[in-house]
Amino acid sequence: QVQLVESGGGLVQAGGSLRLSCAASGRTFPNYAMGWFRQPPGKEREFVATISPSGATVYADSAKGRFTISRDNAKNTVYLQMNSLKPEDTAEYYCASSTFVTITARNFVSWGQGTQVTVSS
């Protein structure tokens, strides 16, 4: 398994952008599918995006056209570029790793500690 550490969260105005990073330990990072999830205040954790080891991506409808997931296997890092942010994007954002491409949280085997994103109106 890999250990994951997110960074890049913060406070941003509506319409702004943030880039989240998730640094992974371990030489097996390139073999894992990576995902981003978020948990808004008082709500359940929800899928945002995932990327396969080869770079294929899947997005939640809420993220399509605004968010971009990418990975740099040489740096053991996965990113989430978030543009045109909305107040409803406010949440704790988590990255996670999986041994196969999936959008279901229970299939992810390792999770980071989360990074808070707050979008003000």
Side-chain angles (χ1 to χ4, degrees):
Q1 295 186 4
V2 296
Q3 274 107 35
L4 305 171
V5 179
E6 302 97 334
S7 62
L11 174 64
V12 63
Q13 289 189 332
S17 298
L18 281 175
R19 188 177 81 155
L20 306 183
S21 299
C22 174
S25 64
R27 290 181 292 177
T28 58
F29 171 81
N31 299 332
Y32 283 90
M34 299 298 297
W36 285 98
F37 288 77
R38 67 186 184 186
Q39 187 164 16
K43 297 185 179 180
E44 294 187 353
R45 192 169 298 189
E46 61 187 33
F47 168 75
V48 176
T50 190
I51 186 166
S52 75
S54 63
T57 57
V58 180
Y59 294 94
D61 288 344
S62 60
K64 287 178 183 176
R66 299 189 301 127
F67 294 3
T68 302
I69 187 171
S70 62
R71 66 190 298 160
D72 185 336
N73 288 339
K75 295 183 178 180
N76 276 15
T77 301
V78 62
Y79 304 98
L80 185 68
Q81 177 67 45
M82 304 187 294
N83 299 328
S84 302
L85 282 161
K86 305 174 182 179
E88 51 263 44
D89 294 317
T90 295
E92 189 83 7
Y93 282 72
Y94 299 87
C95 71
S97 63
S98 173
T99 58
F100 61 98
V101 178
T102 177
I103 65 171
T104 304
R106 66 176 179 269
N107 293 328
F108 285 79
V109 295
S110 294
W111 291 82
Q113 83 289 348
T115 187
Q116 178 67 37
V117 171
T118 302
V119 184
S120 63
S121 57

